Amino acid sequence: MKKLVIFFLILSSLIFGATFYGNLHSHTSYSDGKGTPDEAYEYAKQFLDVLAVTDHAYYFAQKIDGKTKPYLTKLAAERHTKDGEFVALQGFEWTAGVGHINVYESIEWIDRNQEGSLEGFYAWLVKHKKLAQFNHPISKFGTFDSFRYFPEADKYVNLIEVGNGNWSSGDVINPEMFGNYILALNRGWHLGATANQDNHKPNWGSANDARTGIIADKLTYDAIMDALWKRHTFGSEDRNVQVLFKSGEHLMGDVVFIDDFSQKTLSIEYKDTEKLLYLALISQSGTVLELRPGTDHLKLDLKVTPPDGYEWYFFYMKQMDGDEIVTSPIWFQIPSPVYVNSVRISPEEIHAGEVAKLYFEIYNTTENKAKVNLIILLDDDPIRNVTQEFAPYQLKRFVVPTGKLEEGTHRISFLVNGKLVQSISFVVQEKLKGVIMIDTLHENDHLEELRALAEELKKAGYNVIYPKVMLKNLGGIDILIIATPKEGGLSFAKKLSKKELEELEKFEGKLYIIPGGDEEYREIYLSQLKGEVVTLEELRKRLLGEGDS
């Protein structure tokens, strides 16, 4: 588990690094927007320090006076960029069913007609070595195959919109985008947070107060691009809030390579005319700290101890007026060619005596072949010790059973060549009284009463499940409840199939049979099944410990 060791607050006047405010996603008449790139840049100078015009690439087949639209946009950007005053960026938006991605500072382009797959797009991006951003990551537009991880593409897709929208309210950071930001980080992507207006009207920068905060040495093309490549960004619904998240000399967006798991100092600075209502420090395994500062000037220093060799932290903030701010993370990583991510334990609720499954991805982050030793520990006991070979940037997926688990908190640790590169903690609850399956597939008189009984059984410590398609996979079932059919209805919905009868013949648990109203099928069931016939009330008393057992 991630531990917060020490924290303290200082309220004072703050000196911030240079913060510039940009909109990294906008459109013009070169695709489905309004106006020209020249008009967009000129207009945006009233409201922004940085504007990127990123028209949809599938409009680019048609040239203007024999020149490509990306080339003409680039010329306009160069005309409008002036050191210390305004930086104009150019790019394009690749749109496909799997999602939309901005590519920056490229006059070469690719669209969905040329390549509609993630694999093909990432191959193009890697070849051209351009900076990219995941756009509006919600189900409506696509979430990039749930942010399936590509280690080599991770070098270039360095930004993600946690906020996107052109509406005047400026409420652009929504729970789905925020949740997918965390999902992408857990898959292994190194991404800086942005919030952009995605303008399709001539309101570049004025649509609302959504901004991408950019921490840069100065307002020049080179400094801004350097900051974006390094993910020195935050996404904000407030147009001029100052936020600086750092660890020592490292800014938000940086990867800090560590040799050990000693305490690290994280610092967050906030300054605005609007008071800060809520602040949370979020890590790979959950929320580390929550505060309600109630101040417009804040400096917070705290010490955390990374639990393993791959850990990220970022801050989420909410102002009194409801505006939200999300910083880029800082990563603490043990140097390793191979890492582990996308770790999860299934099922979510585990009880003593049960076996869980451990799902994870392990991948090579280098351009060279890699051969590593992987040890997986359950607490201090190894459950896997294998050698794995990887091609450059290869990713592998694994499922590993844990063995029967005892009640309490457990930790899974992943060691690559002896280095602790990842870990996850989970809780095993007390042992269940048993697993009960209730047959609801075949028509009977007692469906509502059986469902009510199921709720009582769950409260009493049983795990109650229902068959999905047919009575099968009965090996882990302790008690099976079958009610014989009711009168009327369809014959095919009453019959036990041949395969079901074969499964029931092998069933080693306790079978209870509740008589139904159809006498003919009652006799058929009793002739086919070896179980104890009970009334529903008798069954209830037995399972809930009332009366004789």
Side-chain angles (χ1 to χ4, degrees), residues 122 125 132-134 153-159 189-191:
Y122 289 146
L125 186 67
Q133 170 184 270
F134 288 127
D154 186 31
K155 294 181 177 181
Y156 305 100
V157 187
N158 282 10
L159 302 170
W189 294 98
H190 294 79
L191 301 166

Side-chain angles (χ1 to χ4, degrees), residues 287-304:
T287 302
V288 178
L289 170 73
E290 294 180 282
L291 291 174
R292 294 184 175 274
T295 179
D296 56 9
H297 289 68
L298 170 73
K299 180 176 181 180
L300 169 66
D301 292 335
L302 54 93
K303 294 186 182 296
V304 295

Side-chain angles (χ1 to χ4, degrees), residues 197-295:
Q197 296 180 11
D198 197 359
N199 311 85
H200 288 75
K201 300 175 182 179
N203 56 0
W204 307 275
S206 68
N208 52 50
D209 286 346
R211 300 287 189 271
T212 293
I214 306 169
I215 310 300
D217 293 336
K218 49 190 173 182
L219 185 58
T220 66
Y221 172 86
D222 288 341
I224 292 297
M225 284 302 297
D226 182 65
L228 294 178
W229 273 105
K230 292 177 177 176
R231 304 171 292 266
H232 293 170
T233 61
F234 60 89
S236 173
E237 293 176 343
D238 183 285
R239 64 185 177 84
N240 57 7
V241 64
Q242 292 182 297
V243 172
L244 184 65
F245 171 36
K246 62 182 181 178
S247 179
E249 299 301 315
H250 296 280
L251 295 179
M252 49 189 162
D254 285 349
V255 178
V256 183
F257 289 103
I258 58 176
D259 297 321
D260 55 42
F261 306 124
S262 59
Q263 289 184 357
K264 314 300 177 187
T265 299
L266 303 180
S267 302
I268 182 74
E269 302 182 24
Y270 169 93
K271 183 178 180 181
D272 194 53
T273 55
E274 188 70 32
K275 290 184 178 181
L276 186 58
L277 171 67
Y278 173 82
L279 176 144
L281 174 65
I282 299 171
S283 75
Q284 190 172 32
S285 63
T287 302
V288 178
L289 170 73
E290 294 180 282
L291 291 174
R292 294 184 175 274
T295 179

Side-chain angles (χ1 to χ4, degrees), residues 113-151:
N113 298 317
Q114 299 166 351
E115 182 54 69
S117 72
L118 277 175
E119 293 88 342
F121 172 79
Y122 289 146
W124 184 94
L125 186 67
V126 167
K127 178 181 177 181
H128 291 81
K129 296 179 170 53
K130 297 298 182 180
L131 175 67
Q133 170 184 270
F134 288 127
N135 289 344
H136 39 60
I138 56 175
S139 56
K140 178 180 178 180
F141 298 108
T143 56
F144 316 99
D145 195 10
S146 295
F147 292 95
R148 182 157 53 101
Y149 186 61
F150 289 77

Side-chain angles (χ1 to χ4, degrees), residues 425-437:
S425 295
F426 62 101
V427 175
V428 176
Q429 300 180 20
E430 64 180 347
K431 184 178 178 62
L432 290 167
K433 289 184 177 180
V435 180
I436 298 177
M437 177 180 281

Side-chain angles (χ1 to χ4, degrees), residues 297 302 315 334 345 386 392 395 404 495:
H297 289 68
L302 54 93
F315 279 94
I334 288 280
I345 299 285
V386 295
L395 180 148
K404 290 187 177 181
K495 292 180 179 179

Side-chain angles (χ1 to χ4, degrees), residues 264-512:
K264 314 300 177 187
T265 299
L266 303 180
S267 302
I268 182 74
E269 302 182 24
Y270 169 93
K271 183 178 180 181
D272 194 53
T273 55
E274 188 70 32
K275 290 184 178 181
L276 186 58
L277 171 67
Y278 173 82
L279 176 144
L281 174 65
I282 299 171
S283 75
Q284 190 172 32
S285 63
T287 302
V288 178
L289 170 73
E290 294 180 282
L291 291 174
R292 294 184 175 274
T295 179
D296 56 9
H297 289 68
L298 170 73
K299 180 176 181 180
L300 169 66
D301 292 335
L302 54 93
K303 294 186 182 296
V304 295
T305 304
D308 52 53
Y310 191 101
E311 182 68 356
W312 49 258
Y313 300 87
F314 72 84
F315 279 94
Y316 167 84
M317 288 162 273
K318 192 168 188 175
Q319 297 177 319
M320 291 289 188
D321 62 359
D323 284 347
E324 297 171 277
I325 302 136
V326 180
T327 75
S328 298
I330 292 176
W331 288 262
F332 294 99
Q333 296 181 208
I334 288 280
S336 174
V338 172
Y339 290 99
V340 171
N341 260 308
S342 294
V343 182
R344 65 182 179 91
I345 299 285
S346 181
E348 291 185 5
E349 185 174 300
I350 309 167
H351 295 268
E354 295 178 347
V355 175
K357 289 183 178 179
L358 173 66
Y359 295 81
F360 65 94
E361 294 178 350
I362 180 169
Y363 51 89
N364 181 9
T365 64
T366 74
E367 62 185 8
N368 303 311
K369 294 180 180 180
K371 182 177 181 180
V372 300
N373 172 247
L374 171 66
I375 298 175
I376 305 175
L377 300 177
L378 173 58
D379 301 321
D380 295 321
D381 299 321
I383 57 175
R384 280 291 185 276
N385 188 338
V386 295
T387 297
Q388 288 290 317
E389 296 185 12
F390 295 85
Y393 302 110
Q394 184 182 6
L395 180 148
K396 299 181 181 183
R397 296 179 177 89
F398 288 96
V399 182
V400 175
T402 61
K404 290 187 177 181
L405 294 163
E406 297 179 354
E407 182 181 348
T409 300
H410 297 275
R411 187 188 192 203
I412 298 285
S413 302
F414 297 86
L415 281 71
V416 172
N417 292 339
K419 295 181 178 180
L420 177 60
V421 298
Q422 189 57 270
S423 65
I424 184 173
S425 295
F426 62 101
V427 175
V428 176
Q429 300 180 20
E430 64 180 347
K431 184 178 178 62
L432 290 167
K433 289 184 177 180
V435 180
I436 298 177
M437 177 180 281
I438 300 177
D439 175 25
T440 55
L441 297 175
H442 303 90
E443 293 186 349
N444 67 72
D445 299 295
H446 308 291
L447 284 177
E448 293 305 317
E449 294 92 337
L450 285 170
R451 287 196 170 95
L453 174 61
E455 294 306 310
E456 291 185 81
L457 293 170
K458 290 176 184 177
K459 292 178 181 178
Y462 289 98
N463 181 19
V464 181
I465 62 175
Y466 302 94
K468 295 181 179 179
V469 179
M470 62 183 293
L471 292 168
K472 62 178 183 178
N473 300 326
L474 304 178
I477 307 301
D478 299 301
I479 298 171
L480 175 60
I481 302 171
I482 296 178
T484 67
K486 65 181 181 180
E487 288 187 346
L490 302 171
S491 295
F492 76 85
K494 299 180 179 183
K495 292 180 179 179
L496 294 168
S497 70
K498 182 180 178 181
K499 288 185 177 180
E500 287 179 316
L501 290 171
E502 290 173 354
E503 288 286 327
L504 289 165
E505 182 67 28
K506 295 183 290 184
F507 179 57
E508 297 179 352
K510 181 70 174 180
L511 172 61
Y512 289 105

